[in-house]
Amino acid sequence: MVHKIRGKVVRGNSIGRKLGFPTANIPVAAEMPVQDGVYAAEVRVGGALYRAMVNIGTRPTVGDGAGRFAEANLFGFDGDIYGEPVAIFLLGYIRPERRFAGLDELRRQLADDRLAVVKYFNNVGL
Ligand SMILES: Cc1cc2nc3c(=O)[nH]c(=O)nc-3n(C[C@H](O)[C@H](O)[C@H](O)COP(=O)(O)O)c2cc1C
């Protein structure tokens, strides 16, 4: 089943941008019935639909564990969408969220995630 998340983009702390993977962050309720982890997704912004990699969780590597977010890195998009409503369609589960020893490890994992998500879209032929 495809899970859909709707919300407005809030300001993060721009670490993603420094890592080379800027993210649109959307708060999600703790009760939302979806497993934390990384997903292949499509994200609707305004009238456009983008492929994306999305992390659902509490960001144990950089966060204080407070708050649950959907963080979407949109492929082929680099704009300012703070405050805008987006819809995220979770299509394929890639891996669980985990705590990394540092930002270099996280950056390497994000590069691998991107490859995995590209492969997902190639395989399903979307
Ligand atoms: C595809 C993807 C996978 C991620 N995986 C993890 C993870 O396994 N562990 C973690 O602590 N954070 C993970 N994150 C969250 C990043 O730590 C976070 O996006 C980054 O620190 C930027 O946050 P900011 O937008 O608030 O600056 C992931 C983010 C993305 C987009």
Side-chain angles (χ1 to χ4, degrees):
M1 191 183 77
V2 174
H3 195 93
K4 179 180 179 184
I5 298 168
R6 287 199 289 184
K8 283 190 180 168
V9 177
V10 298
R11 234 167 248 285
N13 30 48
S14 297
I15 296 170
R17 181 166 295 283
K18 274 178 231 144
L19 294 177
F21 298 97
T23 57
N25 303 340
I26 295 103
V28 297
E31 301 78 23
M32 189 188 62
V34 66
Q35 196 183 341
D36 282 354
V38 177
Y39 292 82
E42 289 182 328
V43 178
R44 195 173 66 219
V45 185
L49 193 65
Y50 296 90
R51 293 177 179 183
M53 55 180 181
V54 175
N55 184 61
I56 310 281
T58 53
R59 304 178 295 180
T61 308
V62 297
D64 49 11
R68 189 177 187 218
F69 292 90
E71 296 198 299
N73 171 248
L74 276 54
F75 296 173
F77 177 84
D78 187 14
D80 182 349
I81 50 171
Y82 290 125
E84 286 193 36
V86 299
I88 301 175
F89 303 88
L90 301 179
L91 302 175
Y93 183 75
I94 303 293
R95 67 169 176 88
E97 185 184 49
R98 49 169 287 228
R99 187 174 197 288
F100 292 95
L103 290 182
D104 278 343
E105 257 192 60
L106 176 61
R107 183 196 289 114
R108 275 195 289 274
Q109 182 62 55
L110 289 170
D112 283 352
D113 290 341
R114 194 188 154 92
L115 291 176
V117 169
V118 167
K119 196 178 276 180
Y120 170 88
F121 281 110
N122 286 341
N123 286 342
V124 295
L126 281 174

